[in-house]
Amino acid sequence: MLPVFKDALFQAQWLRTAGHSSSGGAEIGECLAAASQIREPDAESWFTAWNSLAERVLAESETSRAKGHLVSARQSYLRAANYFRAGYTFLIGAPVDPRVVESYRRQRAAFQNAAALMVPAAEPIAVPYAGALLHGYLFRSADDRTPRPTLIVTGGYDSTAEEAYFFSGAAAVARGYTCIVFDGPGQGAAIVEDGLVFRPDWEAVIGPVVDFAVARPEVDASKIALLGISFGGYLAPRAASGEPRLAACIADPGEFSLLEEFKSRLPAWIAREIPDGKPFVLRLLNLILARKMRHTTGGWGLRRGLWVHGVKSPLDYVKLTQQYTLVGRAEQIRCPTLICSAEDDDIGVTARQLYDALSCEKAFIAFTAQEAAGEHCEAGARSLFNQRAFDWLDSRTGLRPVPNCTSGIAHNTKEGNP
């Protein structure tokens, strides 16, 4: 794939944003225009370029809505939401940059405007959780209350409920599923607005979401599937190991051990001392990582990790990762499970290990660079991921929703006003 940026992370985040074009979240030309305004690896020019684009597209949305062109308004609201999210990507960390909060709120507001114009309208939801409320949406494939197979989507480290719609929510609704997306602890509204940090026992998060789902008339309680995207590739299988009401689970990419993934990127003489080895080596590692954190892209994952986990030092973060493992848990998953990996994605290096540990009905799909799906979360060919994942979900688990041609992605292009 021809790169737009030389910096690997700038390229990955650009592709992530542009890749949502398959679900109405971007226009490739607009994304290329934004890229032309960015100096790499400069977080300020990245923010300015995407924020300016988002504001322009948002203004187009408002103009269309004011004139009664509601389809046009809906389509541009969706793109504006994605661009506002993209803008604050390299600003995340602690202490929280005020622009992260403002941009997060603007992406959420733009998406909610689009959601209200969908056919049928998407419903903002609040899931009771541990004395708090988890923000999300419920999407229906038809304007009725018929119980349908349901997909719950859980995202990753810097995901939002709104972006989950672009990844696979729109594809689910287009196929006739009811779909629920939400921000769990460490994600979206939960971290930005409420300061809730990640927890390894994700079944404690998914349980309340399933409680919410089974109380809804649009949900067939016997056919609830869970999809985990990015770090959700650990969270979803972990949840499935302790939530018996799930009928299927998909991990994209599968993540067996966060610690082992981290160690795979280090020299062997350092990796073997993690997490509780020689104090001198660990202090040295902390110093190296603290220095690395200052780099815009090289330290991005560390800055993000400290923020969403609520820890103070890189070494604290590294040690914490040992809690995020499916050792002794993968065997407890009983529902059919699909594990995915992408050829050039080092985040999913333990995907095959997770697959091998499963004792349930299981399948493995490896996506390749040749089919433009080799990047993280198949960002360059998300439609291909959705095709294969939903084909598996339909045929391997008996989840066979009745397609509704006026729902999902189709309702973003339907002529006329909703």
Side-chain angles (χ1 to χ4, degrees):
M1 185 176 297
L2 292 174
V4 175
F5 291 103
K6 294 179 181 178
D7 183 274
L9 189 56
F10 266 45
Q11 172 63 19
Q13 291 298 329
W14 181 88
L15 185 61
R16 169 184 176 178
T17 303
H20 292 323
S21 60
S22 65
S23 52
E27 286 286 357
I28 299 299
E30 290 176 340
C31 294
L32 288 170
S36 71
Q37 303 300 311
I38 296 171
R39 302 182 306 276
E40 58 177 313
D42 177 54
E44 293 296 327
S45 64
W46 176 280
F47 170 78
T48 299
W50 288 111
N51 192 65
S52 297
L53 174 58
E55 289 183 334
R56 181 183 66 76
V57 175
L58 180 64
E60 295 276 1
S61 310
E62 301 290 0
T63 298
S64 292
R65 186 171 67 170
K67 294 180 178 180
H69 304 302
L70 302 186
V71 172
S72 297
R74 179 177 62 223
Q75 292 174 344
S76 48
Y77 276 132
L78 287 172
R79 302 202 315 279
N82 184 32
Y83 299 152
F84 277 125
R85 178 208 55 77
Y88 69 78
T89 297
F90 292 107
L91 302 179
I92 60 177
V96 179
D97 189 313
R99 292 173 294 179
V100 171
V101 178
E102 180 184 7
S103 296
Y104 165 76
R105 291 173 177 171
R106 296 185 78 181
Q107 70 93 33
R108 177 171 166 175
F111 189 91
Q112 288 182 335
N113 285 335
L117 298 176
M118 291 178 179
V119 182
E123 178 184 342
I125 60 174
V127 177
Y129 161 79
L133 295 172
L134 300 180
H135 158 70
Y137 302 87
L138 184 145
F139 303 94
R140 291 177 290 124
S141 59
D143 199 9
D144 58 31
R145 301 298 177 185
T146 301
R148 286 181 168 81
T150 298
L151 181 69
I152 298 171
V153 183
T154 189
Y157 265 127
D158 54 308
S159 67
T160 67
E162 291 76 18
E163 191 184 17
Y165 171 82
F166 297 127
F167 272 117
S168 290
V173 178
R175 288 164 170 83
Y177 287 79
T178 298
C179 184
I180 294 172
V181 301
F182 73 100
D183 290 327
Q187 303 169 331
I191 184 68
V192 174
E193 304 289 4
D194 302 323
L196 297 177
V197 299
F198 272 108
R199 56 187 297 172
D201 55 339
W202 208 247
E203 65 274 15
V205 178
I206 291 298
V209 179
V210 175
D211 290 342
F212 174 89
V214 299
R216 295 294 303 232
E218 309 92 337
V219 174
D220 183 336
S222 69
K223 296 181 178 181
I224 299 175
L226 175 63
L227 165 63
I229 300 169
S230 193
F231 185 43
Y234 160 80
L235 300 173
R238 171 60 198 243
S241 74
E243 176 46 74
R245 293 172 291 179
L246 295 176
C249 178
I250 303 173
D252 180 40
E255 296 185 56
F256 188 69
S257 168
L258 189 58
L259 177 61
E260 291 304 314
E261 289 182 5
F262 183 82
K263 289 168 66 174
S264 71
R265 305 178 190 121
L266 296 174
W269 66 275
I270 294 180
R272 63 174 171 259
E273 303 298 334
I274 298 172
D276 298 310
K278 296 174 183 176
F280 168 74
V281 175
L282 296 178
R283 287 196 298 270
L284 177 62
L285 176 62
N286 192 55
L287 289 172
I288 292 172
L289 295 179
R291 177 173 293 182
K292 187 176 182 179
M293 281 179 60
R294 303 170 193 163
H295 191 275
T296 299
T297 54
W300 177 73
L302 288 168
R303 296 192 303 273
R304 178 188 64 178
L306 267 62
W307 177 42
V308 299
H309 285 287
V311 294
K312 299 299 184 182
S313 74
L315 188 58
D316 289 338
Y317 175 39
V318 172
K319 289 189 173 185
L320 174 146
T321 61
Q322 64 186 310
Q323 300 175 30
Y324 292 82
T325 178
L326 290 169
V327 173
R329 301 288 309 194
E331 301 85 349
Q332 299 179 38
I333 299 174
R334 294 290 175 260
C335 63
T337 298
L338 172 62
I339 305 300
C340 301
S341 71
E343 182 177 0
D344 299 325
D345 181 14
D346 63 356
I347 293 177
V349 295
T350 59
R352 180 62 70 171
Q353 190 176 356
L354 170 56
Y355 174 81
D356 290 341
L358 295 172
S359 58
C360 58
E361 178 187 342
K362 60 186 179 180
F364 191 96
I365 299 179
F367 293 89
T368 68
Q370 186 176 12
E371 55 197 10
E375 302 300 323
H376 183 55
C377 295
E378 301 77 37
R382 190 66 187 179
S383 291
L384 179 63
F385 167 83
N386 285 324
Q387 177 182 353
R388 292 178 180 172
F390 282 106
D391 286 358
W392 175 87
L393 192 59
D394 292 348
S395 63
R396 294 295 293 274
T397 67
L399 301 183
R400 296 183 180 276
V402 178
N404 184 328
C405 66
T406 63
S407 63
I409 298 173
H411 71 205
N412 290 327
T413 57
K414 184 180 178 184
E415 294 300 325
N417 293 336

